[in-house]
Amino acid sequence: MLNAILRACLAILAIPLLPAAAATDPRVVVSRADLDYATPVARSEEGMPVGNGRMGSLVWTSPSALKFQINRVDVFAMHASSVSFPRADSDYAAGCGYVDINLASAGDDVFAGGAFHQHLSLHDALMTARGAGVTARVVAWPQRDVMAIEFDDERPAPEPVNIDLRMLRYQTQFIPGKNYELAKNHTVEVHTAEHVARSQLAIRDGRILLIQQFEERDFHGSSAVAIGVVGRPARARYLNESTVQLSAAAGRGSFTVLIGSAASLAAQPDPGGLALAELEAAATRGFDGLRADTAKWWSDFWARGGHVALHSADGQADFVGENYTYNLYLMGASSRGRYPPRFGGLLWRTTGDLSRWGSQYWWANTSAYYRNLMPAGRLDLVDPVFDLYSGIRESCALAARQQWGSEGHWIPEIVFFDGLEELPGDIAAELQDLMLVRKPYDQRSAKFQAFAEVRNRHHARWNFQADGKWVDGKYVVPTKGNGIFGHCTHILGAGARIADLYWQRYQYTMDEAWLRERAYPMIRGMAEFYRHFPNLQKGSDGIYHIRHVNSGESEWGSSDTAYEVGAMHLIFPLAIRAAEILGLDAEVRPAWLEIKDHLPPPPARPYVAGATGPGGIFGAFVYGGPGDIEPLGAEPELKRKFLSFNRLGSFIDDPGIGGARIFRNRLRLREGPGAIDAEHIAGLSNGIHSSLLDSTPADGEQGEPVLRVFPAWPKDWDADFALLARGAFTVSAAQTGGAIGPVIIESHAGQVCRLQNPWGGAGVQLTRDGRPAEKLSGALLAFPTRPGEKVTVTVRP
């Protein structure tokens, strides 16, 4: 039954099985994961993802149009001090504008019937949509923020092509004395409490623009989309109060539509000029040049990192491998900006500003994408996460002092892109008393209540609040029923897990400058936070107990919770080890060691946020600190975990938060409008990495890495991989018919390599740069390496 369902899924996805020997050529492997549609999408969320890492869109069709919603990773409509969006899911980000390219108004439908075909080539990042007499090709240019669409119109009676650039919001706010001005300037303002979202249409030199500007108190944000036509006469006009149109003249042959975008978090006087500059840069290249640049960038992307090629006779391994490849494509297309894409929606929102869970970053969900991405060898894809959290560290340090009476820094589980606001002194003092349970919640002041109830309730600081309601003209905000405690108010340990990601970046590269400048401040800050946390106190039993904290989103207000105890067992050894390497904080290390040695026992299995909830992908593979893999049981159970990550690819409603649906584009919609996600595929990739090559230290996260090749992999699934390992090694190996072949280890930093013997205790032969070298034996093989050296390990007969 399992095989039958799987083969049905493969047929729906139009994915042929790999030949008996799994190919490792990047183009062959990557192309197996292409998206291919023989029928149009039923809804926008099923479109094909195209992006350059900073801007992107799903691309979908209606019978007569090609459709986009342009999104960016760096567009934010409000920041941490906003008082205008207290309700859940009301704050928004990322969206820049709708683009509809209409190909037919009076003639026959284009994208319908037997002539329809839509294909996304992952290797070249080229999306092609064919219809009746029209072919469209779409790329997102990696060098600048431009998407380019080439149309080839061979219809017997071509029609004008009308490109509509539409606002995401167009509820006109009545402002006495300004209505005429708004209409004249093609500007619409939406006011929400103190927040103003201004959308303005413009025409400049034959190009059309949509400019968004967001303002609230001292916050300014903006975005712009600019569209031009190359290769055909075009006329611009205002279509209505929310749409500006660029009409390309009718004619046979090809022409190009360019969509440029830009964003700013400053009081930018002309964001439209920034988008037009992107457009001008692309126009000089022409579509062929843009396509060639894009193909080369992606070809390099697939070649420069590691690779994973999987095959089994029943097609199951092939199916898993194709989803792995697709995850890398999604990350390459959405994670190359100043900020990471937000976990819900990424760059693939299609519902305007509607977005479940709002605009903030939730670590449990964000970590699903990044917690085990580094083995893929594309470390730059993780940089946006580091930039985000390093960028808010100072505000997190202030929050540690104001909210918790501690030192170091506190990184909330849920946080705005700019961190946390600075609180007035009296509000901070009262919040601290409430959070530390020094003051009963029902004794809060009216001033505190008035301050808190207008803050966004998803933010971890204010997460004890529920959505309010209007009572006799006053907005009344209740709590979630447990005073100051909410799902994420008293999660302290997210910062420890984030710090560990920084540490892992050091271990994968052995870059001491990174450790000193980027990782150590994050590690030290979290260790100091716990050390000075008022509710961490040594009891009469000699053990440090932590009081009034959550265990992730559960066990509100408990003591010695698994999440926090696990985080402390993680962060204190890391801080000590990192300080030793750098020769820093010798006077503080004894205090860290004293706490470390007197903590409650670590949980039997480290707490993992989302292991059975959002992103609850692969309970066996999710990050949990030292030793990423728990016992997996028999191979049928292991295979089930791999194959059930998306309910075997079924495209039917699925139980979950609000129900779930997985579309042909492999994306999942489970939590309402705008919350399309790929956490399930990211979790699959996590499991693949951990099962092919595990390099976590054997003696705790701070210890020396040990390489384990195929530590948990089905014997009848062939695999060929090259992955990055801690210790700065690239490890290549293959398993065919259950037998493990030679292991090739390329050393980037000249570290001692510790390899768990893939062949048990059998003797092995080392070959260094092609020359026979040592013979070793035993369960653990340890040998020195030189930077740039390639060592091949083979089992001796």
Side-chain angles (χ1 to χ4, degrees), residues 516 520 575-576 578-589 592:
R516 183 180 300 276
Y520 189 66
I576 294 167
E580 289 172 346
I581 293 171
L582 297 172
L584 298 175
D585 286 325
E587 70 285 0
V588 180
R589 280 182 242 158
W592 292 341

Side-chain angles (χ1 to χ4, degrees), residues 172-464:
T172 304
Q173 177 79 12
F174 178 75
I175 305 174
K178 288 192 175 183
N179 276 18
Y180 174 73
E181 179 184 349
L182 296 180
K184 184 176 70 173
N185 292 331
H186 307 285
T187 303
V188 169
E189 288 187 2
V190 176
H191 291 237
T192 307
E194 297 186 25
H195 176 81
V196 179
R198 186 177 298 109
S199 300
Q200 181 179 22
L201 305 175
I203 298 173
R204 297 187 198 173
D205 300 324
R207 277 76 178 271
I208 58 175
L209 294 100
L210 169 56
I211 299 165
Q212 297 184 130
Q213 293 177 308
F214 309 105
E215 298 175 358
E216 182 175 353
R217 297 184 178 181
D218 61 344
F219 174 75
H220 299 275
S222 63
S223 73
V225 176
I227 302 179
V229 169
V230 177
R232 184 166 293 185
R235 180 171 70 94
R237 60 179 178 173
Y238 297 104
L239 201 61
N240 53 49
E241 73 276 8
S242 64
T243 307
V244 61
Q245 186 179 84
L246 190 59
S247 295
R252 302 186 71 177
S254 62
F255 69 98
T256 301
V257 176
L258 299 176
I259 305 173
S261 73
S264 175
L265 287 168
Q268 174 58 242
D270 184 23
L274 299 177
L276 285 170
E278 300 295 293
L279 215 63
E280 292 292 342
T284 62
R285 294 290 293 144
F287 184 82
D288 288 342
L290 299 175
R291 180 187 175 189
D293 291 346
T294 303
K296 183 180 186 308
W297 189 92
W298 279 94
S299 178
D300 292 344
F301 173 83
W302 296 116
R304 69 180 165 85
H307 72 262
V308 169
L310 308 178
H311 173 67
S312 61
D314 56 12
Q316 293 179 352
D318 306 70
F319 177 69
V320 169
E322 286 142 12
N323 282 276
Y324 172 85
T325 299
Y326 188 67
N327 180 65
L328 286 182
Y329 170 81
L330 289 177
M331 299 306 291
S334 66
S335 188
R336 296 179 55 239
R338 168 65 181 83
Y339 297 93
R342 194 182 158 281
F343 69 92
L346 300 169
L347 285 177
W348 321 127
R349 300 165 185 250
T350 63
T351 54
D353 290 335
L354 289 173
S355 179
R356 185 76 188 273
W357 307 117
S359 65
Q360 297 178 70
Y361 291 96
W362 303 53
W363 172 244
N365 301 84
T366 300
S367 67
Y369 294 99
Y370 293 99
R371 64 186 167 220
N372 197 18
L373 185 60
M374 284 185 271
R378 297 160 180 87
L379 300 180
D380 57 308
L381 299 183
V382 193
D383 285 344
V385 171
F386 297 132
D387 290 342
L388 168 67
Y389 287 107
S390 290
I392 67 172
R393 189 171 64 84
E394 289 305 315
S395 79
C396 294
L398 177 62
R401 298 191 297 272
Q402 286 199 313
Q403 181 166 331
W404 300 107
S406 189
E407 298 296 327
H409 60 241
W410 170 62
I411 300 178
E413 165 66 25
I414 309 168
V415 69
F416 279 101
F417 76 95
D418 62 338
L420 303 94
E421 66 178 314
E422 181 175 358
L423 299 174
D426 57 343
I427 296 295
E430 185 167 3
L431 177 66
Q432 185 181 128
D433 284 342
L434 293 169
M435 286 286 176
L436 294 173
V437 198
R438 296 191 297 230
K439 177 180 180 178
Y441 181 77
D442 58 10
Q443 295 180 18
R444 68 195 182 283
S445 69
K447 184 176 182 181
F448 176 86
Q449 177 66 25
F451 187 92
E453 66 188 12
V454 295
R455 265 62 190 179
N456 185 274
R457 79 163 182 87
H458 275 330
H459 194 293
R461 172 176 276 171
W462 311 110
N463 196 234
F464 56 91

Side-chain angles (χ1 to χ4, degrees), residues 82-98:
S82 175
V83 297
S84 302
F85 300 92
R87 290 190 64 84
D89 310 333
S90 61
D91 52 313
Y92 55 94
C96 301
Y98 292 119

Side-chain angles (χ1 to χ4, degrees), residues 1 22 43 56 182 203 269 272 296 473 521 533 537 542 607 650 797:
M1 182 62 180
R43 53 189 294 170
L182 296 180
I203 298 173
K296 183 180 186 308
F533 184 62
Q537 298 174 353
Y607 179 91
S650 59

Side-chain angles (χ1 to χ4, degrees), residues 30-183:
V30 172
S31 296
R32 295 288 174 181
D34 288 358
L35 297 182
D36 195 84
Y37 297 172
T39 57
V41 302
R43 53 189 294 170
S44 60
E45 293 96 340
E46 201 168 33
M48 293 186 175
V50 179
N52 71 350
R54 299 175 297 275
M55 70 171 286
S57 176
L58 291 183
V59 185
W60 70 100
T61 63
S62 69
S64 62
L66 198 66
K67 291 178 167 288
F68 306 77
Q69 178 178 312
I70 303 303
N71 301 291
R72 293 185 59 93
V73 299
D74 53 0
V75 171
F76 301 96
M78 70 288 298
H79 69 346
S81 297
S82 175
V83 297
S84 302
F85 300 92
R87 290 190 64 84
D89 310 333
S90 61
D91 52 313
Y92 55 94
C96 301
Y98 292 119
V99 179
D100 306 323
I101 304 179
N102 301 289
L103 299 164
S105 57
D108 295 335
D109 289 342
V110 175
F111 298 118
F116 176 84
H117 184 226
Q118 188 176 2
H119 184 85
L120 175 62
S121 166
L122 300 192
H123 189 271
D124 299 329
L126 173 69
M127 196 229 74
T128 304
R130 291 188 173 89
V134 178
T135 299
R137 297 187 295 173
V138 182
V139 296
W141 194 26
Q143 282 80 351
R144 302 288 289 266
D145 289 343
V146 175
M147 295 180 70
I149 307 100
E150 181 193 59
F151 289 96
D152 186 9
D153 193 340
E154 296 299 334
R155 291 175 290 183
E159 295 187 55
V161 175
N162 296 319
I163 306 150
D164 293 346
L165 177 55
R166 297 188 287 123
M167 297 177 183
L168 297 181
R169 68 201 72 79
Y170 41 88
Q171 171 193 344
T172 304
Q173 177 79 12
F174 178 75
I175 305 174
K178 288 192 175 183
N179 276 18
Y180 174 73
E181 179 184 349
L182 296 180

Side-chain angles (χ1 to χ4, degrees), residues 29 78 97 143 152 173 177 228 300 330 350 383 398 453 465 476 489-490 494 512 518 579 642 684 688 691 701 781:
V29 173
M78 70 288 298
Q143 282 80 351
D152 186 9
Q173 177 79 12
D300 292 344
L330 289 177
T350 63
D383 285 344
L398 177 62
E453 66 188 12
Q465 300 182 124
V476 178
T489 52
H490 290 70
E512 193 166 306
R518 300 292 300 276
F642 274 116
L684 173 74
I688 290 171
S691 301
E701 187 73 351
L781 310 173

